[in-house]
Amino acid sequence: MTTGTFDLAEGTLLGMGNPLLDMQTRVDKSFLEKWSLKENDAILADDSHIAMFPVGKLLRRNVGFLKLVRRARQHSRNRVRPRWSYPKRSSRLPVDPQRPQSRHLLRSRRKVLREKAMASGVNVHYQVNESTKTGTCGVLLYENFRSLCAHLAAANTFTIDHLDVEANKALVEKAKFYYIAGFFLTVCPPAIMRVARHAAENNKVFMMNLAAPFISQFFTQPLMEALPYVDVLFGNESEAAAFAEANKFETTCVKEIAKKIASLPKVNKNRKRMVIITQGDEPTIVIENDEVFEFPIIPLQKEQLVDTNGAGDAFAGGFLAEFIRGKPVADAIKCGNFAASTIIQQNGCTYPEKCEYQP
Ligand SMILES: Nc1ncnc2c1ncn2[C@@H]1O[C@H](COP(=O)(O)OP(=O)(O)OP(=O)(O)O)[C@@H](O)[C@H]1O
Ligand SMILES: *[C@@H]1O[C@H](CO)[C@@H](O)[C@H](O)[C@H]1NC(C)=O
Ligand SMILES: *[C@@H]1O[C@H](CO)[C@@H](O)[C@H](O)[C@H]1NC(C)=O
């Protein structure tokens, strides 16, 4: 696929998704068991998980959570340090045992998210719901695995009229590339469809990711409605497998699945669908113009691997950085691998101060 060469004007790439503040902590196997979480998964919190999050009655629940972590720790031979870590250099959320914290917490989370996004060059336009907490995502690290449990809160109250706000309309019109995480399918498919149609009508590039296996399993209908508009689809091997199962592909071969996804019906006939499936430390499968390509990753020693949280998103971010400049796919993959490799060698979703990337 060629996308032409664009100078990177501000607003070239537009994303839509759930704003969630990650709360990351190391846990023990018994902690995952206690909350019925798999070691490597990404799920939406249900009522049984809410008590895990330090929200609402912040202090008590927070203490409750940490206690659980500590209990988990006693069962463990490893030394785990129970603590929430927030995105790099953000201050801890303030805790004052004398006063109810929820209002303060609402504002702080939103503020942290906005500051972090703006500082990384992302111009965020949140729809703010004053009566609901900003969403969070529990990032539970266990050995080299990570289990995500998202408590969407305010993110789940998003409404399509946010796209009618003049400033936001202008952003949608200005963008030439769109990237929407599959997770947003659980919140507002009509908003996805509106942007998807705009992209197809204007021959712009519409991209999504498969997000997590549960999206293909339980949100098959909105996913399959959006798919005909998707020019570039990202996913990992377990998400591809879930997609194949939901669509009765009757194959478990990643290349076959990717090829089949690429050949599903498409609205914009100007370009073929590209499908990119990452496989952890195995090569990345790419379908471009109906051809299968395999791209190696950057091999790491076991001890270099700190925490794989965010590998997939970092890969997509690195890929997009080159792709939206009109660079060939091989260059984009190289940058994606670099970004992913960097992030998994650091704790949390963090990067070193300076970017050492050599295109
Ligand atoms: N063990 C590893 N060694 C080297 N590179 C890795 C490893 N794991 C992940 N990567 C890099 O990260 C990319 C994405 O990895 P992966 O397929 O595991 O994503 P993911 O499962 O979607 O990640 P996550 O869901 O944790 O964000 C890989 O293509 C590769 O570049
Ligand atoms: C793929 O991504 C999902 C969701 O992010 C995660 O739960 C799963 O473990 C990943 N699969 C592999 C094989 O890395
Ligand atoms: C804000 O969230 C509440 C639920 O917590 C919901 O009832 C309300 O409709 C939302 N408001 C807006 C403007 O979305």
Side-chain angles (χ1 to χ4, degrees):
M1 176 191 304
T2 53
T3 55
T5 309
F6 297 98
D7 51 342
L8 273 193
E10 194 181 319
T12 299
L13 174 66
L14 180 97
M16 250 189 336
N18 302 330
L20 304 178
L21 185 65
D22 272 8
M23 296 186 162
Q24 177 167 310
T25 190
R26 272 212 168 268
V27 298
D28 185 85
K29 182 110 190 153
S30 63
F31 182 88
L32 297 176
E33 278 161 9
K34 150 99 195 167
W35 296 95
S36 308
L37 299 168
K38 294 185 200 152
E39 55 194 27
N40 232 348
D41 206 0
I43 63 158
L44 290 175
D46 62 28
D47 292 347
S48 76
H49 299 114
I50 299 301
M52 195 174 77
F53 293 92
V55 294
K57 291 191 181 111
L58 167 71
L59 193 62
R60 206 172 66 217
R61 285 188 177 158
N62 204 354
V63 168
F65 182 92
L66 291 179
K67 238 193 235 148
L68 281 165
V69 177
R70 231 176 279 130
R71 197 177 306 147
R73 185 183 171 189
Q74 283 160 6
H75 290 205
S76 161
R77 296 239 178 90
N78 305 331
R79 288 186 50 200
V80 278
R81 250 183 338 140
R83 65 186 171 91
W84 289 115
S85 55
Y86 293 92
K88 204 175 163 194
R89 269 183 287 116
S90 73
S91 52
R92 292 295 176 86
L93 297 182
V95 177
D96 176 354
Q98 303 306 314
R99 288 189 303 144
Q101 291 297 314
S102 42
R103 281 208 64 79
H104 202 119
L105 183 66
L106 293 186
R107 234 172 284 122
S108 314
R109 271 192 200 156
R110 193 198 304 161
K111 224 175 107 193
V112 172
L113 271 182
R114 191 187 299 277
E115 280 169 7
K116 293 293 146 195
M118 290 296 198
S120 9
V122 180
N123 177 15
V124 284
H125 281 232
Y126 296 130
Q127 184 186 50
V128 175
N129 184 333
E130 289 294 351
S131 65
T132 314
K133 294 172 290 292
T134 294
T136 54
C137 183
V139 178
L140 307 168
L141 305 177
Y142 165 65
E143 292 181 351
N144 277 339
F145 309 109
R146 69 99 187 79
S147 194
L148 303 180
C149 186
H151 178 31
L152 300 185
N156 212 19
T157 71
F158 181 91
T159 50
I160 190 168
D161 50 1
H162 194 53
L163 297 183
D164 295 328
V165 175
E166 282 309 319
N168 299 339
K169 242 192 200 158
L171 289 176
V172 173
E173 263 151 41
K174 183 167 187 208
K176 297 195 163 56
F177 294 84
Y178 303 88
Y179 179 76
I180 302 180
F183 289 122
F184 200 53
L185 287 163
T186 76
V187 173
C188 195
I192 298 176
M193 294 309 289
R194 189 185 290 182
V195 173
R197 281 190 207 102
H198 168 85
E201 282 158 14
N202 295 279
N203 195 24
K204 296 172 173 183
V205 182
F206 185 76
M207 306 179 270
M208 288 192 74
N209 73 4
L210 289 173
F214 83 85
I215 295 293
S216 290
Q217 281 163 2
F218 306 119
F219 295 84
T220 324
Q221 194 199 333
L223 173 62
M224 296 317 284
E225 274 170 31
L227 197 76
Y229 293 88
V230 176
D231 294 302
V232 182
L233 187 71
F234 296 86
N236 71 12
E237 69 219 279
S238 37
E239 291 152 9
F243 187 100
E245 204 175 312
N247 287 282
K248 306 198 167 52
F249 279 0
E250 293 182 351
T251 172
T252 52
C253 165
V254 177
K255 285 182 192 167
E256 281 307 310
I257 294 170
K259 260 182 16 201
K260 284 198 178 206
I261 298 176
S263 66
L264 288 173
K266 195 162 181 302
V267 172
N268 182 350
K269 314 270 191 233
N270 291 322
R271 55 176 83 89
K272 298 269 176 108
R273 179 177 300 118
M274 186 186 293
V275 177
I276 303 170
I277 306 295
T278 59
Q279 309 189 87
D281 60 359
E282 297 284 316
T284 301
I285 308 296
V286 177
I287 312 296
E288 188 190 16
N289 290 320
D290 298 327
E291 254 191 275
V292 186
F293 299 91
E294 248 182 81
F295 292 93
I297 54 103
I298 304 169
L300 291 178
Q301 302 296 322
K302 213 172 170 181
E303 56 278 11
Q304 290 176 287
L305 218 153
V306 177
D307 119 52
T308 59
N309 185 35
D313 287 344
F315 173 85
F319 182 95
L320 292 176
E322 294 289 68
F323 187 67
I324 67 173
R325 284 188 174 90
K327 296 281 183 66
V329 168
D331 294 6
I333 296 275
K334 183 181 165 202
C335 189
N337 281 338
F338 172 82
S341 172
T342 305
I343 215 166
I344 64 182
Q345 292 180 67
Q346 300 216 165
N347 215 330
C349 288
T350 60
Y351 283 100
E353 212 55 48
K354 204 165 156 268
C355 178
E356 309 278 359
Y357 185 61
Q358 311 279 348

PDB file of all heavy atoms in Angstrom, residues 40-42 146 148 183 211-213 236-239 278-280, ligand 2:
ATOM      1  N   ASN A  40      -2.256 -13.825  31.706  1.00  0.00           N
ATOM      2  CA  ASN A  40      -2.014 -13.058  30.481  1.00  0.00           C
ATOM      3  C   ASN A  40      -3.354 -12.784  29.843  1.00  0.00           C
ATOM      4  O   ASN A  40      -3.871 -13.606  29.115  1.00  0.00           O
ATOM      5  CB  ASN A  40      -1.159 -13.892  29.512  1.00  0.00           C
ATOM      6  CG  ASN A  40       0.041 -13.134  29.028  1.00  0.00           C
ATOM      7  OD1 ASN A  40       0.146 -11.922  29.216  1.00  0.00           O
ATOM      8  ND2 ASN A  40       0.941 -13.836  28.399  1.00  0.00           N
ATOM      9  N   ASP A  41      -3.933 -11.645  30.128  1.00  0.00           N
ATOM     10  CA  ASP A  41      -5.274 -11.416  29.606  1.00  0.00           C
ATOM     11  C   ASP A  41      -5.579  -9.933  29.629  1.00  0.00           C
ATOM     12  O   ASP A  41      -4.799  -9.134  30.146  1.00  0.00           O
ATOM     13  CB  ASP A  41      -6.299 -12.182  30.465  1.00  0.00           C
ATOM     14  CG  ASP A  41      -7.563 -12.538  29.681  1.00  0.00           C
ATOM     15  OD1 ASP A  41      -7.642 -12.192  28.498  1.00  0.00           O
ATOM     16  OD2 ASP A  41      -8.472 -13.156  30.267  1.00  0.00           O
ATOM     17  N   ALA A  42      -6.670  -9.575  29.030  1.00  0.00           N
ATOM     18  CA  ALA A  42      -7.157  -8.205  29.101  1.00  0.00           C
ATOM     19  C   ALA A  42      -8.670  -8.302  29.155  1.00  0.00           C
ATOM     20  O   ALA A  42      -9.279  -8.818  28.219  1.00  0.00           O
ATOM     21  CB  ALA A  42      -6.717  -7.414  27.876  1.00  0.00           C
ATOM     22  N   ARG A 146       1.313 -10.265  32.186  1.00  0.00           N
ATOM     23  CA  ARG A 146       0.555  -9.132  32.700  1.00  0.00           C
ATOM     24  C   ARG A 146      -0.917  -9.324  32.398  1.00  0.00           C
ATOM     25  O   ARG A 146      -1.326  -9.755  31.337  1.00  0.00           O
ATOM     26  CB  ARG A 146       1.088  -7.819  32.171  1.00  0.00           C
ATOM     27  CG  ARG A 146       0.878  -7.579  30.696  1.00  0.00           C
ATOM     28  CD  ARG A 146      -0.324  -6.699  30.489  1.00  0.00           C
ATOM     29  NE  ARG A 146      -0.675  -6.574  29.084  1.00  0.00           N
ATOM     30  CZ  ARG A 146      -1.334  -7.497  28.410  1.00  0.00           C
ATOM     31  NH1 ARG A 146      -1.701  -8.620  29.002  1.00  0.00           N
ATOM     32  NH2 ARG A 146      -1.644  -7.314  27.151  1.00  0.00           N
ATOM     33  N   LEU A 148      -4.576  -7.425  32.410  1.00  0.00           N
ATOM     34  CA  LEU A 148      -5.207  -6.110  32.433  1.00  0.00           C
ATOM     35  C   LEU A 148      -6.662  -6.255  32.841  1.00  0.00           C
ATOM     36  O   LEU A 148      -7.360  -7.141  32.355  1.00  0.00           O
ATOM     37  CB  LEU A 148      -5.169  -5.460  31.046  1.00  0.00           C
ATOM     38  CG  LEU A 148      -3.817  -5.273  30.373  1.00  0.00           C
ATOM     39  CD1 LEU A 148      -4.003  -4.621  29.002  1.00  0.00           C
ATOM     40  CD2 LEU A 148      -2.917  -4.422  31.252  1.00  0.00           C
ATOM     41  N   PHE A 183     -10.996  -1.843  21.642  1.00  0.00           N
ATOM     42  CA  PHE A 183     -11.663  -1.694  22.945  1.00  0.00           C
ATOM     43  C   PHE A 183     -12.816  -0.687  22.885  1.00  0.00           C
ATOM     44  O   PHE A 183     -13.775  -0.775  23.644  1.00  0.00           O
ATOM     45  CB  PHE A 183     -10.667  -1.229  24.024  1.00  0.00           C
ATOM     46  CG  PHE A 183      -9.685  -2.281  24.429  1.00  0.00           C
ATOM     47  CD1 PHE A 183      -8.323  -2.062  24.316  1.00  0.00           C
ATOM     48  CD2 PHE A 183     -10.108  -3.498  24.949  1.00  0.00           C
ATOM     49  CE1 PHE A 183      -7.408  -3.028  24.707  1.00  0.00           C
ATOM     50  CE2 PHE A 183      -9.193  -4.476  25.335  1.00  0.00           C
ATOM     51  CZ  PHE A 183      -7.850  -4.240  25.211  1.00  0.00           C
ATOM     52  N   ALA A 211      -7.436  -5.551  19.727  1.00  0.00           N
ATOM     53  CA  ALA A 211      -7.484  -5.218  21.160  1.00  0.00           C
ATOM     54  C   ALA A 211      -7.308  -6.393  22.128  1.00  0.00           C
ATOM     55  O   ALA A 211      -6.378  -6.403  22.914  1.00  0.00           O
ATOM     56  CB  ALA A 211      -8.743  -4.445  21.501  1.00  0.00           C
ATOM     57  N   ALA A 212      -8.214  -7.345  22.098  1.00  0.00           N
ATOM     58  CA  ALA A 212      -8.145  -8.481  23.019  1.00  0.00           C
ATOM     59  C   ALA A 212      -9.077  -9.567  22.502  1.00  0.00           C
ATOM     60  O   ALA A 212     -10.028  -9.265  21.784  1.00  0.00           O
ATOM     61  CB  ALA A 212      -8.566  -8.047  24.425  1.00  0.00           C
ATOM     62  N   PRO A 213      -8.821 -10.809  22.884  1.00  0.00           N
ATOM     63  CA  PRO A 213      -9.691 -11.884  22.397  1.00  0.00           C
ATOM     64  C   PRO A 213     -11.179 -11.656  22.688  1.00  0.00           C
ATOM     65  O   PRO A 213     -12.039 -11.965  21.851  1.00  0.00           O
ATOM     66  CB  PRO A 213      -9.159 -13.118  23.148  1.00  0.00           C
ATOM     67  CG  PRO A 213      -7.704 -12.809  23.377  1.00  0.00           C
ATOM     68  CD  PRO A 213      -7.658 -11.326  23.630  1.00  0.00           C
ATOM     69  N   ASN A 236      -2.521  -9.428  17.770  1.00  0.00           N
ATOM     70  CA  ASN A 236      -1.502 -10.429  18.109  1.00  0.00           C
ATOM     71  C   ASN A 236      -2.069 -11.818  17.841  1.00  0.00           C
ATOM     72  O   ASN A 236      -3.213 -11.971  17.404  1.00  0.00           O
ATOM     73  CB  ASN A 236      -0.975 -10.250  19.538  1.00  0.00           C
ATOM     74  CG  ASN A 236      -1.987 -10.641  20.605  1.00  0.00           C
ATOM     75  OD1 ASN A 236      -3.014 -11.250  20.333  1.00  0.00           O
ATOM     76  ND2 ASN A 236      -1.692 -10.279  21.842  1.00  0.00           N
ATOM     77  N   GLU A 237      -1.277 -12.838  18.105  1.00  0.00           N
ATOM     78  CA  GLU A 237      -1.692 -14.174  17.685  1.00  0.00           C
ATOM     79  C   GLU A 237      -2.944 -14.664  18.404  1.00  0.00           C
ATOM     80  O   GLU A 237      -3.798 -15.302  17.790  1.00  0.00           O
ATOM     81  CB  GLU A 237      -0.533 -15.154  17.875  1.00  0.00           C
ATOM     82  CG  GLU A 237      -0.198 -15.439  19.338  1.00  0.00           C
ATOM     83  CD  GLU A 237       1.296 -15.553  19.590  1.00  0.00           C
ATOM     84  OE1 GLU A 237       1.853 -16.612  19.340  1.00  0.00           O
ATOM     85  OE2 GLU A 237       1.884 -14.546  20.050  1.00  0.00           O
ATOM     86  N   SER A 238      -3.101 -14.358  19.697  1.00  0.00           N
ATOM     87  CA  SER A 238      -4.292 -14.872  20.382  1.00  0.00           C
ATOM     88  C   SER A 238      -5.544 -14.113  19.962  1.00  0.00           C
ATOM     89  O   SER A 238      -6.640 -14.679  19.927  1.00  0.00           O
ATOM     90  CB  SER A 238      -4.128 -14.884  21.902  1.00  0.00           C
ATOM     91  OG  SER A 238      -3.424 -13.794  22.372  1.00  0.00           O
ATOM     92  N   GLU A 239      -5.373 -12.837  19.626  1.00  0.00           N
ATOM     93  CA  GLU A 239      -6.513 -12.074  19.112  1.00  0.00           C
ATOM     94  C   GLU A 239      -6.907 -12.585  17.729  1.00  0.00           C
ATOM     95  O   GLU A 239      -8.106 -12.701  17.417  1.00  0.00           O
ATOM     96  CB  GLU A 239      -6.154 -10.585  19.046  1.00  0.00           C
ATOM     97  CG  GLU A 239      -6.000  -9.955  20.423  1.00  0.00           C
ATOM     98  CD  GLU A 239      -5.046  -8.765  20.446  1.00  0.00           C
ATOM     99  OE1 GLU A 239      -4.607  -8.296  19.374  1.00  0.00           O
ATOM    100  OE2 GLU A 239      -4.723  -8.307  21.549  1.00  0.00           O
ATOM    101  N   THR A 278       1.313  -9.502  15.323  1.00  0.00           N
ATOM    102  CA  THR A 278       2.547  -9.704  16.090  1.00  0.00           C
ATOM    103  C   THR A 278       2.434 -11.011  16.867  1.00  0.00           C
ATOM    104  O   THR A 278       1.336 -11.478  17.170  1.00  0.00           O
ATOM    105  CB  THR A 278       2.800  -8.547  17.071  1.00  0.00           C
ATOM    106  OG1 THR A 278       1.684  -8.463  17.970  1.00  0.00           O
ATOM    107  CG2 THR A 278       2.976  -7.221  16.351  1.00  0.00           C
ATOM    108  N   GLN A 279       3.578 -11.595  17.173  1.00  0.00           N
ATOM    109  CA  GLN A 279       3.584 -12.885  17.877  1.00  0.00           C
ATOM    110  C   GLN A 279       4.634 -12.904  18.981  1.00  0.00           C
ATOM    111  O   GLN A 279       5.439 -13.832  19.046  1.00  0.00           O
ATOM    112  CB  GLN A 279       3.874 -14.024  16.904  1.00  0.00           C
ATOM    113  CG  GLN A 279       3.001 -14.040  15.658  1.00  0.00           C
ATOM    114  CD  GLN A 279       3.186 -15.301  14.850  1.00  0.00           C
ATOM    115  OE1 GLN A 279       2.531 -16.310  15.103  1.00  0.00           O
ATOM    116  NE2 GLN A 279       4.108 -15.272  13.907  1.00  0.00           N
ATOM    117  N   GLY A 280       4.657 -11.865  19.811  1.00  0.00           N
ATOM    118  CA  GLY A 280       5.628 -11.838  20.897  1.00  0.00           C
ATOM    119  C   GLY A 280       7.042 -11.927  20.366  1.00  0.00           C
ATOM    120  O   GLY A 280       7.457 -11.082  19.579  1.00  0.00           O
TER     121      GLY A 280
HETATM  122  C1  LIG B   2      -2.405 -10.649  22.930  1.00  0.00           C
HETATM  123  O1  LIG B   2      -2.988  -9.487  23.507  1.00  0.00           O
HETATM  124  C2  LIG B   2      -3.937  -9.785  24.512  1.00  0.00           C
HETATM  125  C3  LIG B   2      -4.629  -8.523  24.882  1.00  0.00           C
HETATM  126  O2  LIG B   2      -3.786  -7.419  24.949  1.00  0.00           O
HETATM  127  C4  LIG B   2      -3.241 -10.463  25.666  1.00  0.00           C
HETATM  128  O3  LIG B   2      -4.151 -10.766  26.688  1.00  0.00           O
HETATM  129  C5  LIG B   2      -2.602 -11.737  25.173  1.00  0.00           C
HETATM  130  O4  LIG B   2      -1.868 -12.334  26.197  1.00  0.00           O
HETATM  131  C6  LIG B   2      -1.677 -11.465  23.985  1.00  0.00           C
HETATM  132  N1  LIG B   2      -1.271 -12.722  23.420  1.00  0.00           N
HETATM  133  C7  LIG B   2      -0.024 -13.068  23.280  1.00  0.00           C
HETATM  134  C8  LIG B   2       0.195 -14.435  22.737  1.00  0.00           C
HETATM  135  O5  LIG B   2       0.907 -12.319  23.571  1.00  0.00           O
END
